[in-house]
Amino acid sequence: MPEGRKRVGFTTEYRKQLYCCFHLPSPANKRIISTTRSRPPTGRPLLCVLSRTSAIERTGPPTVLTMLELDLHSVVPALKAGGVIAYPTEAVWGLGCDPSNETAVMKLLALKQRPVEKGMILIAASPAQLEGWVQLDALADDRRQAVLESWPGANTWIVPAGPRAPRWITGEHTGIAVRVTAHPLVQALCEAWGGPLVSTSANLAGEPPARSREQLDPALLALLDDLLDGATGGLAQPTRIRVAATGEVLRD
């Protein structure tokens, strides 16, 4: 097993079927994945067993998946390889990937079942990491000062998109939701990566977000490449989202 990784086990009885799409949500890429888990002996990880099924009968032998857990040294190669990871944020667990990698972002969107038109949130360790992604200088002086004074912290702002921002990040919008986090692990993650990362809640469409590692849906975990363990920041709600140019609250 690669250095810096370890096996991750599941801890409660669970069985669920899920339609999922890989890379692009076309009918040819759809399949049903059935996941099963049960409580392992203390200290022993349990592998997640996947089996391809149809609406009528199971087709093909089960596939055993071992979820790999990353640390801050092994996470960078995983992200460079186009991986989609789970990691804790200020209030809930999130999904992340390289925002400049279209394939990685489209994979994340497909497994989360989120339309690309909605755009993505970027999270960073410092305002400098957002250079080129957003245009803070396009804001009025007082609004730019308000944004910068709120960071690092649990404040997400919609800022005019910069030249580095591709359509798979902006969606149908002219701005990007960005945040400079004060969460120590996420700060260290972005610093190790050397730039911002995609940050969206680790849940399937229509499902509640996971507030702890134990609440992560194993059906979703089965579709991810890796996991960076840690604790959330303990906020009761996901971060507030405001329009940087006006201060209008979009999510409180």
Side-chain angles (χ1 to χ4, degrees):
M1 179 164 297
E3 183 179 356
R5 299 186 177 192
K6 60 182 179 180
R7 299 180 188 272
V8 178
F10 299 129
T11 57
T12 60
E13 293 187 351
Y14 189 94
R15 181 174 180 85
K16 185 172 183 179
Q17 289 191 335
L18 164 72
Y19 256 121
C20 64
C21 307
F22 289 94
H23 303 297
L24 293 175
S26 65
N29 287 333
K30 287 183 178 179
R31 65 179 179 176
I32 297 176
I33 290 184
S34 174
T35 68
T36 305
R37 65 177 184 171
S38 58
R39 186 178 300 276
T42 303
R44 292 182 59 188
L46 183 69
L47 303 184
C48 179
V49 180
L50 305 182
S51 58
R52 294 182 179 88
T53 64
S54 71
I56 300 175
E57 62 181 352
R58 181 173 300 171
T59 59
T63 301
V64 177
L65 171 71
T66 302
M67 186 70 187
L68 294 176
E69 185 175 312
L70 300 171
D71 59 25
L72 290 173
H73 298 289
S74 55
V75 69
V76 173
L79 291 168
K80 285 184 177 179
V84 176
I85 68 169
Y87 63 98
T89 67
E90 293 89 344
V92 300
W93 273 72
L95 301 178
C97 67
D98 175 3
S100 67
N101 186 325
E102 181 180 9
T103 300
V105 174
M106 294 305 293
K107 177 181 178 181
L108 185 156
L109 290 169
L111 66 87
K112 186 178 166 69
Q113 302 172 16
R114 177 183 174 88
V116 66
E117 292 81 9
K118 286 190 174 183
M120 304 299 292
I121 294 176
L122 298 186
I123 196 166
S126 68
Q129 289 192 338
L130 296 172
E131 290 181 7
W133 290 94
V134 294
Q135 301 181 78
L136 286 168
D137 289 342
L139 300 172
D141 290 346
D142 61 330
R143 296 308 311 154
R144 182 171 62 255
Q145 182 178 359
V147 170
L148 293 175
E149 287 180 352
S150 75
W151 290 339
N155 297 285
T156 301
W157 297 92
I158 308 292
V159 182
R164 294 185 63 185
R167 297 304 296 175
W168 59 82
I169 293 296
T170 62
E172 62 185 8
H173 309 290
T174 58
I176 304 178
V178 293
R179 179 167 76 255
V180 174
T181 183
H183 188 293
L185 179 62
V186 183
Q187 277 188 333
L189 171 61
C190 291
E191 288 171 355
W193 170 241
L197 289 168
V198 168
S199 183
T200 184
S201 59
N203 57 283
L204 301 168
E207 297 293 329
R211 297 189 174 277
S212 67
R213 175 169 168 171
E214 290 72 26
Q215 292 180 2
L216 286 168
D217 189 337
L220 178 61
L221 280 174
L223 306 178
L224 302 179
D225 296 291
D226 297 287
L227 177 148
L228 181 65
D229 195 20
T232 63
L235 292 186
Q237 299 293 332
T239 62
R240 176 185 296 183
I241 299 178
R242 290 174 282 178
V243 178
T246 63
E248 177 188 0
V249 178
L250 300 183
R251 183 181 76 187
D252 203 353

